[in-house]
Amino acid sequence: MNQPERPMPGDRTARKPYRTFRTTGKKWLQGLGAGALMCALVTGCGSSDDASPAKPTPTVTVTATVTATPAAMTSQVDKVLGAATGAAERHGYRVSAHDASDKDAAPGDDWKVCFEKVTFAAVDYGAVAADAPCPRTDGRPIPWPPMPRAVGGTYAHAVDAVGKVTSGEITVKASYKDEDVDDSSSTDGTYDDWKVCFQSPSAGTRVVGDRDVTLWLTEDGCPAAKGTYKDRTNDPDYTPPAQADAGSGGTSGGSSAGSSGTGGGAGTTCEIVSNAGNCYDAGQFCRNSDVGSSTHAANGRMIYCRDEGSRNRWNY
């Protein structure tokens, strides 16, 4: 049996046994390491020049909308709509307005604010005309106030009561034809204690807007109707009652032209007499046809019929 040759000492050409070669190969693989192996499997471990370029990352732009919060604002109820609108806009609100009544009119800047609805960035006003009261709720009819009863009370009380429902003009007139009431004196206290006999509009009438009012006054004692005389003898059409006979030769009835009037002295002549045949006295009314004429009064003095506006009177 042949034995394997032994290498000679110093012989570098002698090869190592086959077993030694395989052992050395395993160690080489182990030296690559896990990282190198992974590189080989996935990318091939090529150079950086051969690698695919990285895809660009998209740029995202975000735009943020910032809404300013309106500043706090005090209530504008009972304010003029134009001023309320300006205040709301200065505070950063969007403003709208509507008719607060059951109508659908377009509100004006001079209207009055009755209701307001405020949201985050807007305000809506419900308004009515300046002279109208606010409805109880938005969209309801306007509650126009009723005219108070002035008849039977004093003029001062009537002015106070009427002034609460209207700012219209108050006109005064005389309840009697033969009682003077000067409208220009109605504000100086002259008629404060006079009695109201008639009124227009009547009590209970709905007062829409600033309605004018007329009051008929008297110093004392109201007539049954307007246009009568406080002193019946002042009525040109007054006929005195027939006088009883005063003995033989007595006459009855009133005096006539050419005879003495009531209270007149003997021989008094009245050139112009009333429709009843009586002589006139100073202060009594005279007919339109007598304006500019003169006559003797019942007391014998000369009187003249003068135009005094709506009334004509006999005066000295």
Side-chain angles (χ1 to χ4, degrees):
M1 183 175 182
N2 295 328
Q3 297 291 331
E5 295 182 359
R6 297 176 179 267
M8 293 297 291
D11 186 358
R12 297 181 178 180
T13 60
R15 295 182 178 180
K16 293 182 181 181
Y18 178 76
R19 182 179 299 173
T20 303
F21 170 79
R22 292 182 61 85
T23 302
T24 303
K26 290 182 179 179
K27 290 182 178 180
W28 174 78
L29 290 174
Q30 291 176 353
L32 289 176
L37 180 59
M38 183 64 68
C39 175
L41 294 175
V42 176
T43 66
C45 294
S47 64
S48 59
D49 295 336
D50 298 332
S52 300
K55 294 182 179 180
T57 303
T59 302
V60 179
T61 302
V62 178
T63 302
T65 302
V66 179
T67 301
T69 302
M73 180 179 63
T74 58
S75 174
Q76 298 298 304
V77 172
D78 292 333
K79 301 292 181 62
V80 177
L81 180 59
T85 299
E89 290 176 343
R90 287 192 298 272
H91 282 75
Y93 289 93
R94 298 190 307 272
V95 182
S96 60
H98 65 276
D99 190 339
S101 74
D102 57 344
K103 307 299 181 183
D104 193 23
D109 286 343
D110 60 342
W111 282 32
K112 176 177 60 180
V113 176
C114 294
F115 308 100
E116 61 183 358
K117 182 179 180 181
V118 182
T119 59
F120 177 76
V123 58
D124 180 49
Y125 292 125
V128 297
D131 60 350
C134 290
R136 292 178 178 84
T137 57
D138 200 353
R140 299 290 297 169
I142 294 177
W144 294 108
M147 175 62 64
R149 179 177 176 80
V151 173
T154 63
Y155 172 70
H157 175 74
V159 170
D160 182 64
V162 169
K164 294 179 180 178
V165 299
T166 178
S167 297
E169 181 180 357
I170 299 178
T171 302
V172 295
K173 294 183 178 181
S175 296
Y176 290 101
K177 277 191 173 182
D178 54 348
E179 189 169 40
D180 287 329
V181 172
D182 184 5
D183 190 63
S184 63
S185 302
S186 61
T187 58
D188 62 4
T190 301
Y191 304 120
D192 282 358
D193 294 332
W194 283 41
K195 189 174 183 180
V196 179
C197 297
F198 310 98
Q199 69 177 88
S200 177
S202 59
T205 303
R206 292 291 176 183
V207 181
V208 178
D210 290 331
R211 187 165 182 177
D212 294 339
V213 177
T214 302
L215 302 174
W216 284 263
L217 311 178
T218 184
E219 193 167 8
D220 54 8
C222 288
K226 297 189 292 287
T228 59
Y229 290 86
K230 194 171 188 178
D231 181 353
R232 289 186 301 166
T233 63
N234 287 332
D235 184 353
D237 296 327
Y238 171 71
T239 300
Q243 296 179 354
D245 290 341
S248 60
T251 60
S252 62
S255 60
S256 60
S259 62
S260 62
T262 302
T268 299
T269 301
C270 303
E271 293 83 2
I272 300 176
V273 296
S274 69
N275 295 341
N278 299 315
C279 294
Y280 285 108
D281 287 316
Q284 288 184 305
F285 293 103
C286 54
R287 295 176 292 252
N288 291 334
S289 59
D290 293 332
V291 174
S293 302
S294 62
T295 184
H296 285 87
N299 60 6
R301 294 184 61 181
M302 184 66 70
I303 54 177
Y304 303 87
C305 178
R306 296 187 177 93
D307 183 359
E308 296 184 358
S310 60
R311 302 179 181 90
N312 307 318
R313 289 183 184 272
W314 292 104
N315 285 304
Y316 295 116

